[in-house]
């Protein structure tokens, strides 16, 4: 485990559960861009180029299904990012266009929709998805078609490739902050729980390595499918193991169910708890159950700076949103702007030109400060230890420098 210097620093939206595409202010302002009509002859592939230089992006967001909370955050952050780009003049003097599809967090749908975006809609860039298996599915389409692709959700993707530039927080960036904190505060006996798919298993496998290297032990490790409603059997196993603390990689509506039922069982009264299950995306269903808990993150709507203040104001106004703003929304907002800058720098929508420009791309003075791509094409930023306070304030209490060695697969060739 790498020791890095750190210093002290500083309601549920009714639309979140609507199983349909949400009409938004930003979407209305971009209606012409979203239209799936032939506005310019965009071409794809490493050897071809959009001769009219109109950047067209395919947005894949699960705005229905088990990952709706993260999917809506992705969509909204992306929309606001595109609006900011277009308000500033677009790319090559033209508004950025995008086509949005809903993959319902289903890998088979992700594959079909990504193929359609490439072959029928002629997009120059693929952006989005949430679960690891859908990211992998889109990644295969990206690789085969030579169309660049960025995911924005936290966690290590299960693959790498020359056209894939993930923008979410790598596993080790999060674990390197929270595991030492929790072991110091609560103890060395840990229970781990997650949904049964790629991200939770990879995240918790790395956590186990860190915990054991620090002299700790994993008392129990449990997984349940996405969409699990009854967590009591798992909670009974966690409780029987008598851990000092629990590291959870349960996501979506399942996070609300797990934390609520664990609280009702009294488990949270005697045991420390952290992990992705208590991040901002899920706070509307968790509320005061998680107040006082800590977690790692690169983003909070409580971070200082004019860029974040503007983003928070615009997000709340556009979507009538009063809950903590999810990190995936900030990733999408900054990420699409980073992509647009790279395309402008490339002077082309040629895939190889875009990826060459992305290799040196960075964010300066963004909503979460600064960030850049490492040599293995992972986007890293400074991280924070966030303390959840009353009213859903995720307050940064410690700052950690960007972790250059993310412990993932090297994709530098």
């Amino acid at each position: 485990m790498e020791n890095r210097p750190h210093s002290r620093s500083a309601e549920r939206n009714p639309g979140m559960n609507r199983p349909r595409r949400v009409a938004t202010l930003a979407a209305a302002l971009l209606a012409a861009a979203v239209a799936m009509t032939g506005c310019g002859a965009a071409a794809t592939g490493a050897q071809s180029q959009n001769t009219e230089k109109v950047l067209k992006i395919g947005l894949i967001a699960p705005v229905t299904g088990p990952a709706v909370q993260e999917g809506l955050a992705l969509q909204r952050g992306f929309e606001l990012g595109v609006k900011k780009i277009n308000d500033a003049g677009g790319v090559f003097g033209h508004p950025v266009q995008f086509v949005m599809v809903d993959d319902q967090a289903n890998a088979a749908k992700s594959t079909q929709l990504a193929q359609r975006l490439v072959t029928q809609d002629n997009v120059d860039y693929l952006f989005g998805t949430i679960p690891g298996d859908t990211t992998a599915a889109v990644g295969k389409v990206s690789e085969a078609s030579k169309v660049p692709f960025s995911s924005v959700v936290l966690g290590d993707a299960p693959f790498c490739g020359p056209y894939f530039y993930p923008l979410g927080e790598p596993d080790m960036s999060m674990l390197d902050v929270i595991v030492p904190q929790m072991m110091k505060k609560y103890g060395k006996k840990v229970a781990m729980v997650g949904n049964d798919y790629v991200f939770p298993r990879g995240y918790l496998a790395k956590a186990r390595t860190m915990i054991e290297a620090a002299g700790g032990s994993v008392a129990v490790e449990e997984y349940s499918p996405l969409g699990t409603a009854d967590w009591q059997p798992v909670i009974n196993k966690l409780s029987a193991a008598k851990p000092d603390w629990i590291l959870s990689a349960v996501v979506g509506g399942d996070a609300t169910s797990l934390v609520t039922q664990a609280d009702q069982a009294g488990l949270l009264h005697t045991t420390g708890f952290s992990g992705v299950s208590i991040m901002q995306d899920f706070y509307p269903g968790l509320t005061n159950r998680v107040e006082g808990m800590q977690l790692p993150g690169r983003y909070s709507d409580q971070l200082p700076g004019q860029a974040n203040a503007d983003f928070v104001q615009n997000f709340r106004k556009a979507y009538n949103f009063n809950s903590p703003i999810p990190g995936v929304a900030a990733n999408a907002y900054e990420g699409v702007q980073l992509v647009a800058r790279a395309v402008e720098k490339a002077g082309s929508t040629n895939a190889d030109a875009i990826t060459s420009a992305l290799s040196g791309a960075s964010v300066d003075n963004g909503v979460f400060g600064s960030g850049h791509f490492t040599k293995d094409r992972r986007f890293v930023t400074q991280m924070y230890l966030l303390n959840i306070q009353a009213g859903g304030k995720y307050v940064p209490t410690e700052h950690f420098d960007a972790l250059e060695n993310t412990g993932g697969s090297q994709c530098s060739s």
Side-chain angles (χ1 to χ4, degrees), residues 144-270:
S145 60
K146 298 183 179 180
V147 172
F149 167 45
S150 285
S151 61
V152 294
V153 73
L154 54 77
D156 292 344
F159 71 97
C160 62
Y163 298 101
F164 180 51
Y165 284 76
L167 292 156
E169 301 90 319
D171 290 341
M172 290 302 296
S173 293
M174 297 179 285
L175 293 170
D176 195 56
V177 172
I178 200 61
V179 169
Q181 296 282 342
M182 295 297 286
M183 291 184 73
K184 180 179 179 180
K185 184 174 182 178
Y186 293 101
K188 295 184 176 182
K189 188 177 180 181
V190 187
M192 303 196 305
V193 58
N195 289 112
D196 193 6
Y197 72 95
V198 175
F199 161 67
R201 286 191 173 273
Y203 173 82
L204 294 179
K206 295 181 184 71
R208 175 186 283 272
T209 299
M210 289 186 67
I211 291 164
E212 292 176 348
S217 63
V218 176
V220 63
E221 184 173 353
E222 289 291 321
Y223 295 93
S224 290
L226 277 169
T228 296
D230 181 9
W231 286 90
Q232 198 57 51
V234 170
I235 291 169
N236 290 341
K237 292 179 181 179
L238 298 177
S239 181
K242 299 187 183 304
D244 296 320
W245 59 282
I246 298 168
L247 180 63
S248 178
V250 174
V251 300
D254 292 10
T256 300
S257 299
L258 171 67
V259 175
T260 299
Q261 292 170 35
D263 181 54
Q264 292 170 345
L267 183 58
L268 301 186
H269 306 165
T270 58

Side-chain angles (χ1 to χ4, degrees), residues 21 32-38 56 98-101 116-117 121:
R21 187 174 300 177
V34 180
M36 294 174 61
T37 57
K56 191 174 186 182
F98 72 90
V99 180
M100 178 186 153
V101 293
R116 191 188 84 187
L117 288 168
D121 297 301

Side-chain angles (χ1 to χ4, degrees), residues 35-50:
M36 294 174 61
T37 57
C39 299
T44 62
Q47 304 305 317
S48 59
Q49 171 178 335
N50 181 339

Side-chain angles (χ1 to χ4, degrees), residues 268-320:
L268 301 186
H269 306 165
T270 58
T271 308
F273 191 96
S274 190
V276 299
S277 298
I278 58 174
M279 63 187 187
Q280 296 97 316
D281 308 55
F282 314 131
Y283 180 85
L286 303 174
T287 61
N288 61 5
R289 293 185 180 89
V290 297
E291 289 175 6
M293 294 182 181
Q294 294 179 313
L295 74 159
R298 74 162 54 140
Y299 178 75
S300 166
D301 55 28
Q302 302 298 306
L303 288 174
Q306 191 60 49
N308 192 38
D310 291 344
F311 171 65
V312 171
Q313 180 181 17
N314 293 335
F315 194 97
R316 297 202 184 288
K317 181 179 179 180
Y319 305 110
N320 190 28

Side-chain angles (χ1 to χ4, degrees), residues 51 70 166 172 178 204 214 295 300 321-322 335 345 372-373 391 395:
T51 56
E70 303 99 309
M172 290 302 296
I178 200 61
L204 294 179
L295 74 159
S300 166
F321 193 90
N322 297 314
K345 179 181 177 181
H372 63 277
F373 282 107
V395 178

Side-chain angles (χ1 to χ4, degrees), residues 33 35-40 42 50 54-58 96-99 120-125 349:
M36 294 174 61
T37 57
C39 299
N50 181 339
V54 176
L55 175 61
K56 191 174 186 182
I57 303 174
V96 172
Q97 302 176 10
F98 72 90
V99 180
Q120 295 184 27
D121 297 301
N122 295 320
V123 300
D124 305 299
Y125 208 99
T349 53

